[in-house]
Amino acid sequence: MFMRTIGIMANAGKDAALHVAKAADEYLRARGVAVLLQHHVAEEIGDAGRGLSDSEVTDADAVLVMGGDGTILATSRECASKGTPMLPIHLGRFGFLTEVSPEDLNPALDALLSGNFTVDERMMLRCESLRGADEEDQASAFALNDVVIANGPLSRVLHLRMSVNGKYVTTYAADGIIIATPTGSTAYSLSAGGPLVHPSMQTILVTPICPHTLTARALLVPEDAEITIVVERDPQDMVRVTVDGQVGFPLLAGDEIKVRRSPYPARLLTVGGADFYDKLQSKLRWGERMVY
Amino acid sequence: MFMRTIGIMANAGKDAALHVAKAADEYLRARGVAVLLQHHVAEEIGDAGRGLSDSEVTDADAVLVMGGDGTILATSRECASKGTPMLPIHLGRFGFLTEVSPEDLNPALDALLSGNFTVDERMMLRCESLRGADEEDQASAFALNDVVIANGPLSRVLHLRMSVNGKYVTTYAADGIIIATPTGSTAYSLSAGGPLVHPSMQTILVTPICPHTLTARALLVPEDAEITIVVERDPQDMVRVTVDGQVGFPLLAGDEIKVRRSPYPARLLTVGGADFYDKLQSKLRWGERMVY
Amino acid sequence: MFMRTIGIMANAGKDAALHVAKAADEYLRARGVAVLLQHHVAEEIGDAGRGLSDSEVTDADAVLVMGGDGTILATSRECASKGTPMLPIHLGRFGFLTEVSPEDLNPALDALLSGNFTVDERMMLRCESLRGADEEDQASAFALNDVVIANGPLSRVLHLRMSVNGKYVTTYAADGIIIATPTGSTAYSLSAGGPLVHPSMQTILVTPICPHTLTARALLVPEDAEITIVVERDPQDMVRVTVDGQVGFPLLAGDEIKVRRSPYPARLLTVGGADFYDKLQSKLRWGERMVY
Amino acid sequence: MFMRTIGIMANAGKDAALHVAKAADEYLRARGVAVLLQHHVAEEIGDAGRGLSDSEVTDADAVLVMGGDGTILATSRECASKGTPMLPIHLGRFGFLTEVSPEDLNPALDALLSGNFTVDERMMLRCESLRGADEEDQASAFALNDVVIANGPLSRVLHLRMSVNGKYVTTYAADGIIIATPTGSTAYSLSAGGPLVHPSMQTILVTPICPHTLTARALLVPEDAEITIVVERDPQDMVRVTVDGQVGFPLLAGDEIKVRRSPYPARLLTVGGADFYDKLQSKLRWGERMVY
C-alpha cells in the first residue's frame, strides 16, 4: 500500500485536534503527499478552499483520525464500505482504539510513508431494523463496537426475544441487550459483565443489561451467526437501538432487529504502538498487582 | 391490635382483584367489621355510595391490598406515615411481597380477625431532591424497594458523586445507581448484581448499574447513613430519579439527591405463609439442585 | 464415513451403562457390524474373550460412549490423536456433551449405520508442564473442557504470571485459573463467572477463580495463542494442574504450564438431537421466563 | 478507659515489627506505663526476663499489634473473650484492618495515653463443628473475617446443605462457601463476588465459591441467625473448615458446621486515621475515576 493521498478527519469540537491536523497537513505536504481535508478542518486551518466532503476525504489511501475513541467509531462507519485504513491520533485520554499520541505524530507519519505499518482488520457489525408485514429494511447501520437495544429512563423491563440463525434461543427480561464485536468487548459490554475478547477474533458477543433472570450470562456466537431480536411486549417506555453509542432510532413493539457481521471490516493502521495486552495493562490496570 | 375497620385497596386494572375485593367485603361485613372501600372498588362492586378516598381507606386498622407487588409498593407509600398494616392478597404471579393467594382468603381473614398474625416491619427509604443555591426541598418520596437514578435511552454514562454522612466516597461512572432497602434487594438491585438481604434487616444497599469502572461493587451502609448523590456533568441525556419503579422526576446537572431511612417502616401482616427463605426457593429456585 | 467396526466404551461403575452396552452390541452385530468391547465391558456382558484394550477399541470407525459427561471427557483423550468419532449415549442426568438417551439407542444406531449423522469437531487443548533449567517436557495432557491450576484447601492466594505468545499480560492473584475450550465454557469456567461460548468456535478462555483484584475478568484469546502460566511465589499450599477435572499433577513454584490448541479436535457424532441452544434452554433454563 | 498497662504483640517473622516494638516499649515506659511483652518480643529486644505468655499480654488495658492484617486476625482470637482493645500498627502494605503506620507511632501512643481514641466494635463469628450421633461440640473457633468451608485441589464440587435457624434454605453445589462478618466483606468474600459491607454493621454474609448453579448470589442474614452447613455427599476430596485463612480442620461427610455471631466483638482502637470509606478509596481505588 503506497500512500499518495492521505485524508484528515478531526473532532470539530476540539482545538487540539485542529492544531494537530494543521501540523500533519504541513508535514505531509512537505513530503509530496496530497492531503484531503474535511470542510471544517480546511476552514479552521485557514485554507477553506481545500475543504471536501467526508465521502471525498475517505477516498484517500488512508485517513488520519484525530480525536478520541468516539471520533474513530464515527469515522469507521464512513470508511467501512471503502476499506480505507485509519490511523488514530489520540487527543485527550488514551483509549482502546487510539494509537498514536500527538507528540509521536511525525515518526508515525514517517512510518506510514515508508510502509512501516501493519493493518489490523477489526470485525464490524451490520444492524438492520425491520417493521411490519413487509419486513422491508427500514434502517441499517454499521457498528465497530456495539448495537444496543435498551429502554428509557422509566426503567421498565424489556422482553427481548432472541433467535440465532432463525432458531429461538431465549427471551431476555432485561433493561436491554448489547450485541458487540470483539473490539466492543472493552466498551459497554464490559460494564454489563461481558468478557474481554481479543480484537483480532471473529465472534459476536450478546450481553444482557441487568437481566431480571439470574440465569443470563454473556453468550458468544460464531461469526456467521445472524442474531434476531424482537421487542415482545408493548412497552410504555421508549425503546431505542443505538449504534456505537452515537446514532440510533426508536423501536416499536414487534420491531425486529437483525444483526450480523458486516462484510466490511474496519482497518486500523498500527505503527509499533501498544498492543491489546499492553492496553489491558494501562487501561484496566492488569499489569499491577492491586491485591487487597 | 383489634380489627374494627379494614380497608380494601385493589388494582383498578384487574378484574380478579375486584372479584376478590367483593368477596372479602362480604365476608368481613358478615363478621361485623366495618369495610372501607376505595372509590373505584365501591363503584365496580355496585356500591358506589360507600366509596372513599385512598387517604380515608388507609385510616383503617388494616388494609387488604389486592394486586401484584406493584400494587403493594404503591399502597405502602400511602400507608407509611400512618403505620397502617397491609395484608397483601396476590393476584397473578406470586411475588416477593405478596402473601395470601385468593383461594386462602377466608382463612386469612379469620386469622386476621382472631389476632393470629404477626406484623413484619420493613424499612423504607426517604428520598429528597434539592436544586440550586437555596437547596430547598423540591421533591420527596418514600420507597419500599428502591430509589433509582438513571440515564435515558441514549446510554451516555453518568458521573454520580456519592457522599455518605457528608463524607465523599466515590464518583460512579455508570448507567445509574440503585439505592435499595433490604426488601428491594430482590428487585432491581438483584439484576444489577447486588446481594440478597433478609428483609428484616436495617441497612441501605448502593448498587451501581453497569459501572464503567471494574472496581465498583454493591455497598451496604448502616441504617443511619445519609447518602447524597450529585449528578456531576452536564448530561446531554435525560436523567431521572424513579421511586419503586413507579414515580419519578427529571434531574438537572448539579441536582442533589439525599436518601436516608424513612422514619416510617412499611408494616406487612403475615398469617402463616411463606417466609423469605421459602420465597428464595420458589422464586429464585434456591431449593432445587439445578446443577449443570 | 462407513461404519464397519464400532467400539463400545462404558462407565465401569454404572450397571445401566453395561445394560445398554449389551443391547447395542447385539443390535449392531445383528446388522453385520464388528463390535469392539473394552475388557471390562466384555467381561460383564459374559463374553470375556472378546475384551480389548482401550487403545484397540478406539481404533474402530466410531465409538459409542456410555456414561455421563465425565466418561466422554475421559474417552476424548483416548480418541483425540486417532480422530475417532464418538457417539455419546447418556446415562443418568442429561449433560452438555451427552447426546442420545438409552431409549433412543436403536434409531440412533440406525442413523449411524445409514450415514445420517454429522460430525461436530470440538477444539481441544494441549497442556504441558515444564520444570527446571532444561525445561524439558515433563508431563502433558489433552483437555476437551479445561486445564485448571488451583491451590489446595488451605486457601492461600496464588500468584500466577500469565504470558500470551511470550508476551507478559498480567499476574493473577487468585485461587486459581481456568483455561477452557468453548466446550468447557459450560463447565467449571461458567461457575467462575465466564461467558457461554458456542462449541463450534475456536478460541481459548482464561477465567480466574476468585481473583483477589477486582479488575480481573474472563479473557478470550485467539485459537493460535500459546498461554504460559508460571506459579510465582513459593506456595506453602499444594498447587495442582487438573485436566478436565479428572487427571492432574502437583506443581512447584517456578513450574511453567503451557497451554495451546491441540492439533487433534474431539469429533462428536450427532444424529439429530438437541443443539447447543436447545441445551442452554434445558440445562440452564434459558427458554423459561423465570422473571422474579 | 485509662491505660495503665499496654501489651505488645508482634509478628515474629518480621524484623521491622520487633524494631517498632522496641521503640514503643521505650516510649511507653518513659511515660510510666507498664508494658507487657510476648516471650519472643522480650527475647529479641534483649530483655528476655520480661517475657510473658500471650494470655498474660492480652490481660493489659490495650494491646499494640504489630504486623499485617494476618497478625491482627490472629490476635483478635486471643483478645476476643477478654474484650481487650487492639491498636494495629501496620508493617508492610496497608491493609483494611491496619491503622497506624510506624512513622506515626509516637503521636498514636500519645493519643492512646491521653484518651484521644475511639473504640470500634467489630462483630466476630463463632464456628462449631459437630460430628456423629451425640453432636457434641468437637471443635470451635472465633473468626474476625470469615469461616470458609472448601474442597481440596482436585476440584470436586461440594454439596453443602444450608439451614438458617433450623430452617432449610438451599443446597449449594459449589467449590465451597464463605461465611463472613462485615469486616470480612473486604477479604475473601469480595473475591467470590460478595458485596462490601460497612464494618460497623451487624450481619452475616453467606457467599458461595464458584457455585455450579447460576442462581446463587451472596446472601445477608440478620445478626441473630444461626447458620448450619452439612457436607452432604461423601466427598472423595478433602474438605476443610478454615477460620480467618489461618486455622482449620478437616471435615467428613455428614459433619455439621454451625456459625453464629460471637458474644465477643473485636475491639479496635482508632486514633484519627482513615475510616472505611477512605480505605475503599486507597485500597480499592474507589476515589479514582478509572474510566475505560
Side-chain angles (χ1 to χ4, degrees), chain C residues 4-8 21 24-30 33-37 50 52 64:
Chain C
R4 276 185 202 85
T5 58
I6 293 185
I8 296 183
D25 180 45
E26 285 166 9
Y27 194 87
L28 289 170
R29 290 168 74 197
V33 179
V35 180
L36 311 184
L37 304 174
R50 291 172 55 206
L52 298 168
L64 307 182

mmCIF file with all atom_site columns, all heavy atoms in Angstrom, chain C residues 4-8 21 24-30 33-37 50 52 64:
data_model
loop_
_atom_site.group_PDB
_atom_site.id
_atom_site.type_symbol
_atom_site.label_atom_id
_atom_site.label_alt_id
_atom_site.label_comp_id
_atom_site.label_asym_id
_atom_site.label_entity_id
_atom_site.label_seq_id
_atom_site.pdbx_PDB_ins_code
_atom_site.Cartn_x
_atom_site.Cartn_y
_atom_site.Cartn_z
_atom_site.occupancy
_atom_site.B_iso_or_equiv
_atom_site.pdbx_formal_charge
_atom_site.auth_seq_id
_atom_site.auth_comp_id
_atom_site.auth_asym_id
_atom_site.auth_atom_id
_atom_site.pdbx_PDB_model_num
ATOM 1   N N   . ARG C 1 4  ? -17.836 -49.877 9.615  1.00 0.00 ? 4  ARG C N   1
ATOM 2   C CA  . ARG C 1 4  ? -17.641 -51.328 9.609  1.00 0.00 ? 4  ARG C CA  1
ATOM 3   C C   . ARG C 1 4  ? -17.405 -51.871 11.017 1.00 0.00 ? 4  ARG C C   1
ATOM 4   O O   . ARG C 1 4  ? -17.837 -52.954 11.355 1.00 0.00 ? 4  ARG C O   1
ATOM 5   C CB  . ARG C 1 4  ? -16.418 -51.686 8.744  1.00 0.00 ? 4  ARG C CB  1
ATOM 6   C CG  . ARG C 1 4  ? -16.742 -51.786 7.273  1.00 0.00 ? 4  ARG C CG  1
ATOM 7   C CD  . ARG C 1 4  ? -15.562 -52.260 6.464  1.00 0.00 ? 4  ARG C CD  1
ATOM 8   N NE  . ARG C 1 4  ? -15.753 -51.852 5.075  1.00 0.00 ? 4  ARG C NE  1
ATOM 9   C CZ  . ARG C 1 4  ? -15.414 -50.677 4.594  1.00 0.00 ? 4  ARG C CZ  1
ATOM 10  N NH1 . ARG C 1 4  ? -14.830 -49.772 5.352  1.00 0.00 ? 4  ARG C NH1 1
ATOM 11  N NH2 . ARG C 1 4  ? -15.651 -50.395 3.316  1.00 0.00 ? 4  ARG C NH2 1
ATOM 12  N N   . THR C 1 5  ? -16.657 -51.114 11.795 1.00 0.00 ? 5  THR C N   1
ATOM 13  C CA  . THR C 1 5  ? -16.379 -51.527 13.178 1.00 0.00 ? 5  THR C CA  1
ATOM 14  C C   . THR C 1 5  ? -16.769 -50.388 14.105 1.00 0.00 ? 5  THR C C   1
ATOM 15  O O   . THR C 1 5  ? -16.483 -49.223 13.821 1.00 0.00 ? 5  THR C O   1
ATOM 16  C CB  . THR C 1 5  ? -14.871 -51.809 13.399 1.00 0.00 ? 5  THR C CB  1
ATOM 17  O OG1 . THR C 1 5  ? -14.137 -50.629 13.083 1.00 0.00 ? 5  THR C OG1 1
ATOM 18  C CG2 . THR C 1 5  ? -14.389 -52.955 12.521 1.00 0.00 ? 5  THR C CG2 1
ATOM 19  N N   . ILE C 1 6  ? -17.430 -50.768 15.180 1.00 0.00 ? 6  ILE C N   1
ATOM 20  C CA  . ILE C 1 6  ? -17.843 -49.763 16.169 1.00 0.00 ? 6  ILE C CA  1
ATOM 21  C C   . ILE C 1 6  ? -17.368 -50.224 17.540 1.00 0.00 ? 6  ILE C C   1
ATOM 22  O O   . ILE C 1 6  ? -17.575 -51.381 17.931 1.00 0.00 ? 6  ILE C O   1
ATOM 23  C CB  . ILE C 1 6  ? -19.376 -49.564 16.144 1.00 0.00 ? 6  ILE C CB  1
ATOM 24  C CG1 . ILE C 1 6  ? -19.783 -48.929 14.802 1.00 0.00 ? 6  ILE C CG1 1
ATOM 25  C CG2 . ILE C 1 6  ? -19.848 -48.710 17.315 1.00 0.00 ? 6  ILE C CG2 1
ATOM 26  C CD1 . ILE C 1 6  ? -21.232 -48.570 14.668 1.00 0.00 ? 6  ILE C CD1 1
ATOM 27  N N   . GLY C 1 7  ? -16.699 -49.327 18.250 1.00 0.00 ? 7  GLY C N   1
ATOM 28  C CA  . GLY C 1 7  ? -16.229 -49.654 19.596 1.00 0.00 ? 7  GLY C CA  1
ATOM 29  C C   . GLY C 1 7  ? -17.258 -49.258 20.638 1.00 0.00 ? 7  GLY C C   1
ATOM 30  O O   . GLY C 1 7  ? -18.108 -48.393 20.387 1.00 0.00 ? 7  GLY C O   1
ATOM 31  N N   . ILE C 1 8  ? -17.200 -49.887 21.792 1.00 0.00 ? 8  ILE C N   1
ATOM 32  C CA  . ILE C 1 8  ? -18.069 -49.506 22.902 1.00 0.00 ? 8  ILE C CA  1
ATOM 33  C C   . ILE C 1 8  ? -17.215 -49.263 24.148 1.00 0.00 ? 8  ILE C C   1
ATOM 34  O O   . ILE C 1 8  ? -16.483 -50.150 24.586 1.00 0.00 ? 8  ILE C O   1
ATOM 35  C CB  . ILE C 1 8  ? -19.138 -50.595 23.194 1.00 0.00 ? 8  ILE C CB  1
ATOM 36  C CG1 . ILE C 1 8  ? -20.083 -50.749 21.988 1.00 0.00 ? 8  ILE C CG1 1
ATOM 37  C CG2 . ILE C 1 8  ? -19.931 -50.253 24.455 1.00 0.00 ? 8  ILE C CG2 1
ATOM 38  C CD1 . ILE C 1 8  ? -21.214 -51.750 22.204 1.00 0.00 ? 8  ILE C CD1 1
ATOM 39  N N   . ALA C 1 21 ? -24.813 -51.205 26.878 1.00 0.00 ? 21 ALA C N   1
ATOM 40  C CA  . ALA C 1 21 ? -23.706 -51.705 26.053 1.00 0.00 ? 21 ALA C CA  1
ATOM 41  C C   . ALA C 1 21 ? -24.072 -53.055 25.443 1.00 0.00 ? 21 ALA C C   1
ATOM 42  O O   . ALA C 1 21 ? -23.834 -53.322 24.249 1.00 0.00 ? 21 ALA C O   1
ATOM 43  C CB  . ALA C 1 21 ? -22.440 -51.840 26.906 1.00 0.00 ? 21 ALA C CB  1
ATOM 44  N N   . ALA C 1 24 ? -26.615 -52.620 22.658 1.00 0.00 ? 24 ALA C N   1
ATOM 45  C CA  . ALA C 1 24 ? -26.011 -52.057 21.445 1.00 0.00 ? 24 ALA C CA  1
ATOM 46  C C   . ALA C 1 24 ? -25.166 -53.110 20.737 1.00 0.00 ? 24 ALA C C   1
ATOM 47  O O   . ALA C 1 24 ? -25.167 -53.216 19.495 1.00 0.00 ? 24 ALA C O   1
ATOM 48  C CB  . ALA C 1 24 ? -25.139 -50.844 21.814 1.00 0.00 ? 24 ALA C CB  1
ATOM 49  N N   . ASP C 1 25 ? -24.433 -53.892 21.512 1.00 0.00 ? 25 ASP C N   1
ATOM 50  C CA  . ASP C 1 25 ? -23.601 -54.955 20.941 1.00 0.00 ? 25 ASP C CA  1
ATOM 51  C C   . ASP C 1 25 ? -24.455 -55.896 20.100 1.00 0.00 ? 25 ASP C C   1
ATOM 52  O O   . ASP C 1 25 ? -24.130 -56.205 18.950 1.00 0.00 ? 25 ASP C O   1
ATOM 53  C CB  . ASP C 1 25 ? -22.917 -55.699 22.096 1.00 0.00 ? 25 ASP C CB  1
ATOM 54  C CG  . ASP C 1 25 ? -22.028 -56.842 21.613 1.00 0.00 ? 25 ASP C CG  1
ATOM 55  O OD1 . ASP C 1 25 ? -21.252 -56.632 20.642 1.00 0.00 ? 25 ASP C OD1 1
ATOM 56  O OD2 . ASP C 1 25 ? -22.118 -57.946 22.191 1.00 0.00 ? 25 ASP C OD2 1
ATOM 57  N N   . GLU C 1 26 ? -25.573 -56.330 20.681 1.00 0.00 ? 26 GLU C N   1
ATOM 58  C CA  . GLU C 1 26 ? -26.439 -57.272 19.960 1.00 0.00 ? 26 GLU C CA  1
ATOM 59  C C   . GLU C 1 26 ? -27.033 -56.636 18.709 1.00 0.00 ? 26 GLU C C   1
ATOM 60  O O   . GLU C 1 26 ? -27.050 -57.221 17.637 1.00 0.00 ? 26 GLU C O   1
ATOM 61  C CB  . GLU C 1 26 ? -27.558 -57.763 20.890 1.00 0.00 ? 26 GLU C CB  1
ATOM 62  C CG  . GLU C 1 26 ? -27.040 -58.771 21.912 1.00 0.00 ? 26 GLU C CG  1
ATOM 63  C CD  . GLU C 1 26 ? -28.012 -59.027 23.069 1.00 0.00 ? 26 GLU C CD  1
ATOM 64  O OE1 . GLU C 1 26 ? -29.171 -58.547 22.995 1.00 0.00 ? 26 GLU C OE1 1
ATOM 65  O OE2 . GLU C 1 26 ? -27.588 -59.680 24.050 1.00 0.00 ? 26 GLU C OE2 1
ATOM 66  N N   . TYR C 1 27 ? -27.521 -55.417 18.876 1.00 0.00 ? 27 TYR C N   1
ATOM 67  C CA  . TYR C 1 27 ? -28.183 -54.727 17.763 1.00 0.00 ? 27 TYR C CA  1
ATOM 68  C C   . TYR C 1 27 ? -27.214 -54.547 16.590 1.00 0.00 ? 27 TYR C C   1
ATOM 69  O O   . TYR C 1 27 ? -27.564 -54.763 15.430 1.00 0.00 ? 27 TYR C O   1
ATOM 70  C CB  . TYR C 1 27 ? -28.709 -53.384 18.256 1.00 0.00 ? 27 TYR C CB  1
ATOM 71  C CG  . TYR C 1 27 ? -29.698 -52.724 17.328 1.00 0.00 ? 27 TYR C CG  1
ATOM 72  C CD1 . TYR C 1 27 ? -31.057 -53.017 17.397 1.00 0.00 ? 27 TYR C CD1 1
ATOM 73  C CD2 . TYR C 1 27 ? -29.288 -51.783 16.382 1.00 0.00 ? 27 TYR C CD2 1
ATOM 74  C CE1 . TYR C 1 27 ? -31.979 -52.412 16.553 1.00 0.00 ? 27 TYR C CE1 1
ATOM 75  C CE2 . TYR C 1 27 ? -30.195 -51.162 15.528 1.00 0.00 ? 27 TYR C CE2 1
ATOM 76  C CZ  . TYR C 1 27 ? -31.548 -51.475 15.625 1.00 0.00 ? 27 TYR C CZ  1
ATOM 77  O OH  . TYR C 1 27 ? -32.455 -50.863 14.788 1.00 0.00 ? 27 TYR C OH  1
ATOM 78  N N   . LEU C 1 28 ? -25.989 -54.161 16.904 1.00 0.00 ? 28 LEU C N   1
ATOM 79  C CA  . LEU C 1 28 ? -25.019 -53.882 15.845 1.00 0.00 ? 28 LEU C CA  1
ATOM 80  C C   . LEU C 1 28 ? -24.537 -55.161 15.176 1.00 0.00 ? 28 LEU C C   1
ATOM 81  O O   . LEU C 1 28 ? -24.404 -55.235 13.941 1.00 0.00 ? 28 LEU C O   1
ATOM 82  C CB  . LEU C 1 28 ? -23.820 -53.116 16.423 1.00 0.00 ? 28 LEU C CB  1
ATOM 83  C CG  . LEU C 1 28 ? -24.111 -51.655 16.818 1.00 0.00 ? 28 LEU C CG  1
ATOM 84  C CD1 . LEU C 1 28 ? -22.939 -51.064 17.600 1.00 0.00 ? 28 LEU C CD1 1
ATOM 85  C CD2 . LEU C 1 28 ? -24.387 -50.809 15.554 1.00 0.00 ? 28 LEU C CD2 1
ATOM 86  N N   . ARG C 1 29 ? -24.262 -56.177 15.995 1.00 0.00 ? 29 ARG C N   1
ATOM 87  C CA  . ARG C 1 29 ? -23.774 -57.436 15.402 1.00 0.00 ? 29 ARG C CA  1
ATOM 88  C C   . ARG C 1 29 ? -24.837 -58.069 14.504 1.00 0.00 ? 29 ARG C C   1
ATOM 89  O O   . ARG C 1 29 ? -24.518 -58.644 13.464 1.00 0.00 ? 29 ARG C O   1
ATOM 90  C CB  . ARG C 1 29 ? -23.345 -58.399 16.506 1.00 0.00 ? 29 ARG C CB  1
ATOM 91  C CG  . ARG C 1 29 ? -22.059 -57.900 17.202 1.00 0.00 ? 29 ARG C CG  1
ATOM 92  C CD  . ARG C 1 29 ? -21.773 -58.648 18.462 1.00 0.00 ? 29 ARG C CD  1
ATOM 93  N NE  . ARG C 1 29 ? -21.272 -59.986 18.177 1.00 0.00 ? 29 ARG C NE  1
ATOM 94  C CZ  . ARG C 1 29 ? -21.248 -60.969 19.064 1.00 0.00 ? 29 ARG C CZ  1
ATOM 95  N NH1 . ARG C 1 29 ? -21.700 -60.775 20.292 1.00 0.00 ? 29 ARG C NH1 1
ATOM 96  N NH2 . ARG C 1 29 ? -20.766 -62.148 18.728 1.00 0.00 ? 29 ARG C NH2 1
ATOM 97  N N   . ALA C 1 30 ? -26.127 -57.922 14.891 1.00 0.00 ? 30 ALA C N   1
ATOM 98  C CA  . ALA C 1 30 ? -27.218 -58.450 14.059 1.00 0.00 ? 30 ALA C CA  1
ATOM 99  C C   . ALA C 1 30 ? -27.259 -57.748 12.705 1.00 0.00 ? 30 ALA C C   1
ATOM 100 O O   . ALA C 1 30 ? -27.879 -58.233 11.755 1.00 0.00 ? 30 ALA C O   1
ATOM 101 C CB  . ALA C 1 30 ? -28.550 -58.275 14.792 1.00 0.00 ? 30 ALA C CB  1
ATOM 102 N N   . VAL C 1 33 ? -22.136 -55.502 11.871 1.00 0.00 ? 33 VAL C N   1
ATOM 103 C CA  . VAL C 1 33 ? -21.045 -54.615 12.268 1.00 0.00 ? 33 VAL C CA  1
ATOM 104 C C   . VAL C 1 33 ? -20.130 -55.353 13.253 1.00 0.00 ? 33 VAL C C   1
ATOM 105 O O   . VAL C 1 33 ? -20.619 -56.058 14.145 1.00 0.00 ? 33 VAL C O   1
ATOM 106 C CB  . VAL C 1 33 ? -21.603 -53.340 12.943 1.00 0.00 ? 33 VAL C CB  1
ATOM 107 C CG1 . VAL C 1 33 ? -20.464 -52.426 13.392 1.00 0.00 ? 33 VAL C CG1 1
ATOM 108 C CG2 . VAL C 1 33 ? -22.548 -52.619 11.998 1.00 0.00 ? 33 VAL C CG2 1
ATOM 109 N N   . ALA C 1 34 ? -18.849 -55.195 13.069 1.00 0.00 ? 34 ALA C N   1
ATOM 110 C CA  . ALA C 1 34 ? -17.908 -55.735 14.054 1.00 0.00 ? 34 ALA C CA  1
ATOM 111 C C   . ALA C 1 34 ? -17.891 -54.808 15.265 1.00 0.00 ? 34 ALA C C   1
ATOM 112 O O   . ALA C 1 34 ? -17.696 -53.599 15.110 1.00 0.00 ? 34 ALA C O   1
ATOM 113 C CB  . ALA C 1 34 ? -16.517 -55.839 13.446 1.00 0.00 ? 34 ALA C CB  1
ATOM 114 N N   . VAL C 1 35 ? -18.116 -55.350 16.465 1.00 0.00 ? 35 VAL C N   1
ATOM 115 C CA  . VAL C 1 35 ? -18.191 -54.524 17.667 1.00 0.00 ? 35 VAL C CA  1
ATOM 116 C C   . VAL C 1 35 ? -16.968 -54.802 18.549 1.00 0.00 ? 35 VAL C C   1
ATOM 117 O O   . VAL C 1 35 ? -16.672 -55.955 18.879 1.00 0.00 ? 35 VAL C O   1
ATOM 118 C CB  . VAL C 1 35 ? -19.488 -54.807 18.450 1.00 0.00 ? 35 VAL C CB  1
ATOM 119 C CG1 . VAL C 1 35 ? -19.548 -53.929 19.698 1.00 0.00 ? 35 VAL C CG1 1
ATOM 120 C CG2 . VAL C 1 35 ? -20.700 -54.545 17.564 1.00 0.00 ? 35 VAL C CG2 1
ATOM 121 N N   . LEU C 1 36 ? -16.264 -53.745 18.908 1.00 0.00 ? 36 LEU C N   1
ATOM 122 C CA  . LEU C 1 36 ? -15.061 -53.879 19.735 1.00 0.00 ? 36 LEU C CA  1
ATOM 123 C C   . LEU C 1 36 ? -15.399 -53.460 21.162 1.00 0.00 ? 36 LEU C C   1
ATOM 124 O O   . LEU C 1 36 ? -15.900 -52.355 21.379 1.00 0.00 ? 36 LEU C O   1
ATOM 125 C CB  . LEU C 1 36 ? -13.943 -52.987 19.181 1.00 0.00 ? 36 LEU C CB  1
ATOM 126 C CG  . LEU C 1 36 ? -13.668 -53.099 17.658 1.00 0.00 ? 36 LEU C CG  1
ATOM 127 C CD1 . LEU C 1 36 ? -12.464 -52.242 17.274 1.00 0.00 ? 36 LEU C CD1 1
ATOM 128 C CD2 . LEU C 1 36 ? -13.435 -54.547 17.255 1.00 0.00 ? 36 LEU C CD2 1
ATOM 129 N N   . LEU C 1 37 ? -15.140 -54.345 22.121 1.00 0.00 ? 37 LEU C N   1
ATOM 130 C CA  . LEU C 1 37 ? -15.531 -54.089 23.507 1.00 0.00 ? 37 LEU C CA  1
ATOM 131 C C   . LEU C 1 37 ? -14.312 -53.893 24.407 1.00 0.00 ? 37 LEU C C   1
ATOM 132 O O   . LEU C 1 37 ? -13.321 -54.623 24.280 1.00 0.00 ? 37 LEU C O   1
ATOM 133 C CB  . LEU C 1 37 ? -16.336 -55.274 24.058 1.00 0.00 ? 37 LEU C CB  1
ATOM 134 C CG  . LEU C 1 37 ? -17.591 -55.694 23.292 1.00 0.00 ? 37 LEU C CG  1
ATOM 135 C CD1 . LEU C 1 37 ? -18.176 -56.968 23.906 1.00 0.00 ? 37 LEU C CD1 1
ATOM 136 C CD2 . LEU C 1 37 ? -18.623 -54.580 23.326 1.00 0.00 ? 37 LEU C CD2 1
ATOM 137 N N   . ARG C 1 50 ? -13.852 -61.570 24.175 1.00 0.00 ? 50 ARG C N   1
ATOM 138 C CA  . ARG C 1 50 ? -13.815 -60.514 23.156 1.00 0.00 ? 50 ARG C CA  1
ATOM 139 C C   . ARG C 1 50 ? -13.167 -59.229 23.679 1.00 0.00 ? 50 ARG C C   1
ATOM 140 O O   . ARG C 1 50 ? -13.086 -58.239 22.941 1.00 0.00 ? 50 ARG C O   1
ATOM 141 C CB  . ARG C 1 50 ? -15.224 -60.203 22.677 1.00 0.00 ? 50 ARG C CB  1
ATOM 142 C CG  . ARG C 1 50 ? -15.856 -61.339 21.865 1.00 0.00 ? 50 ARG C CG  1
ATOM 143 C CD  . ARG C 1 50 ? -17.325 -61.052 21.594 1.00 0.00 ? 50 ARG C CD  1
ATOM 144 N NE  . ARG C 1 50 ? -17.522 -59.777 20.958 1.00 0.00 ? 50 ARG C NE  1
ATOM 145 C CZ  . ARG C 1 50 ? -18.633 -59.052 21.050 1.00 0.00 ? 50 ARG C CZ  1
ATOM 146 N NH1 . ARG C 1 50 ? -19.636 -59.473 21.796 1.00 0.00 ? 50 ARG C NH1 1
ATOM 147 N NH2 . ARG C 1 50 ? -18.732 -57.902 20.432 1.00 0.00 ? 50 ARG C NH2 1
ATOM 148 N N   . LEU C 1 52 ? -10.964 -56.146 24.690 1.00 0.00 ? 52 LEU C N   1
ATOM 149 C CA  . LEU C 1 52 ? -9.813  -55.478 24.054 1.00 0.00 ? 52 LEU C CA  1
ATOM 150 C C   . LEU C 1 52 ? -9.337  -54.318 24.931 1.00 0.00 ? 52 LEU C C   1
ATOM 151 O O   . LEU C 1 52 ? -10.069 -53.831 25.800 1.00 0.00 ? 52 LEU C O   1
ATOM 152 C CB  . LEU C 1 52 ? -10.237 -54.937 22.681 1.00 0.00 ? 52 LEU C CB  1
ATOM 153 C CG  . LEU C 1 52 ? -10.699 -55.977 21.649 1.00 0.00 ? 52 LEU C CG  1
ATOM 154 C CD1 . LEU C 1 52 ? -11.366 -55.295 20.469 1.00 0.00 ? 52 LEU C CD1 1
ATOM 155 C CD2 . LEU C 1 52 ? -9.506  -56.807 21.174 1.00 0.00 ? 52 LEU C CD2 1
ATOM 156 N N   . LEU C 1 64 ? -19.058 -45.805 20.576 1.00 0.00 ? 64 LEU C N   1
ATOM 157 C CA  . LEU C 1 64 ? -20.199 -45.412 21.411 1.00 0.00 ? 64 LEU C CA  1
ATOM 158 C C   . LEU C 1 64 ? -19.679 -45.217 22.830 1.00 0.00 ? 64 LEU C C   1
ATOM 159 O O   . LEU C 1 64 ? -18.990 -46.091 23.357 1.00 0.00 ? 64 LEU C O   1
ATOM 160 C CB  . LEU C 1 64 ? -21.268 -46.516 21.415 1.00 0.00 ? 64 LEU C CB  1
ATOM 161 C CG  . LEU C 1 64 ? -21.763 -47.032 20.062 1.00 0.00 ? 64 LEU C CG  1
ATOM 162 C CD1 . LEU C 1 64 ? -22.847 -48.096 20.260 1.00 0.00 ? 64 LEU C CD1 1
ATOM 163 C CD2 . LEU C 1 64 ? -22.292 -45.885 19.209 1.00 0.00 ? 64 LEU C CD2 1
#
